[in-house]
Amino acid sequence: MTKLSRILVGTAALLLVALYLLPLWQVRLVAPQYPEGLGMRIHVNKVQGSTETDLNNINNLNHYIGMQRIEADAIPELRIMPWIVGVLIVSGLLVAALGKRQLLYVWAGGFTALGLAGLVDFWRWEYDYGHNLDLENAIIKIPGMSYQPPLIGSKQLLNFTATSWPGLGGIAAGIAFALGIAAVVLTWRAVHSTAERVGTRGQPAVRDAILATAR
């Protein structure tokens, strides 16, 4: 790994610390009766309203359409995610300290897989809350209607406009991912440019030795 690549990975790992302090994702609901909007912030270990009463108001509104209450204790991912983020931080700092490109590739690949898995799981969570309704006890019943908020962007749900965007923690995680990918690209280019500079294109054995040992 180049010095710059190691700095990028170390910075990326430290940026992930923001996930413990700032919301990963945020959902906002706006309607004529709530012009100021109702907000929900999703952290790696908790779900809370944008104000002290917002989450309770959202749950009360969800009761009318038969949606289950949003409670942190019922979401097992919130108990797992802090550990996953911690592993990414510690392993990223180790990669930066050791400077081994193979470890960098593994770390970046793991980061990518976990990020995709997290988005899929969040979509699945939204789908479950928006489709798995208690219609027997719901006050408002519209056949065929579901209430899944968007993963990202805006969507109209009855008279509410629901918007969903990454929070500041999620933005920090996105920047960290971009820095990790940049470190991979820089390392890959450095390794292959080293092989080209010594003129080993026509000597596979020498070239492969350089690629195997390059850091």
Side-chain angles (χ1 to χ4, degrees):
M1 291 176 62
T2 65
K3 181 179 180 181
L4 179 56
S5 296
R6 296 171 73 171
I7 292 174
L8 290 176
V9 173
T11 303
L14 293 175
L15 273 173
L16 293 176
V17 175
L19 288 173
Y20 293 106
L21 307 172
L22 301 169
L24 175 64
W25 218 266
Q26 54 190 8
V27 178
R28 187 165 182 79
L29 302 171
V30 177
Q33 65 269 43
Y34 290 99
E36 72 285 359
L38 298 172
M40 181 176 68
R41 295 172 180 170
I42 302 171
H43 296 249
V44 293
N45 62 342
K46 62 183 176 181
V47 178
Q48 62 181 188
S50 296
T51 70
E52 185 177 349
T53 60
D54 275 7
L55 185 57
N56 186 58
N57 287 335
I58 290 172
N59 279 324
N60 290 336
L61 289 169
N62 288 347
H63 172 73
Y64 286 98
I65 58 176
M67 186 181 290
Q68 55 192 301
R69 290 182 63 85
I70 299 172
E71 296 178 338
D73 292 341
I75 305 172
E77 291 87 345
L78 297 179
R79 295 189 292 272
I80 300 171
M81 283 196 294
W83 294 97
I84 292 175
V85 173
V87 169
L88 281 175
I89 293 171
V90 173
S91 58
L93 292 175
L94 283 174
V95 170
L98 298 175
K100 298 287 187 179
R101 64 185 178 90
Q102 292 87 351
L103 294 178
L104 169 63
Y105 297 156
V106 171
W107 183 80
F111 196 164
T112 302
L114 289 170
L116 291 174
L119 289 173
V120 171
D121 186 68
F122 183 42
W123 179 90
R124 182 201 59 78
W125 179 79
E126 289 184 319
Y127 182 91
D128 179 57
Y129 273 81
H131 289 78
N132 186 17
L133 306 175
D134 181 10
L135 295 179
E136 291 187 3
N137 297 308
I139 298 173
I140 299 175
K141 303 177 183 180
I142 302 178
M145 182 69 182
S146 63
Y147 303 93
Q148 179 181 0
L151 179 64
I152 188 167
S154 297
K155 182 178 181 180
Q156 194 68 29
L157 300 173
L158 296 181
N159 62 327
F160 281 87
T161 300
T163 58
S164 177
W165 299 101
L168 291 177
I171 293 172
I175 295 172
F177 176 73
L179 293 178
I181 295 302
V184 169
V185 172
L186 288 174
T187 299
W188 186 88
R189 291 178 61 182
V191 168
H192 286 77
S193 65
T194 298
E196 291 177 2
R197 282 200 303 271
V198 296
T200 59
R201 285 183 174 178
Q203 303 175 40
V206 177
R207 182 191 64 230
D208 292 345
I210 291 174
L211 294 176
T213 58
R215 296 175 58 179

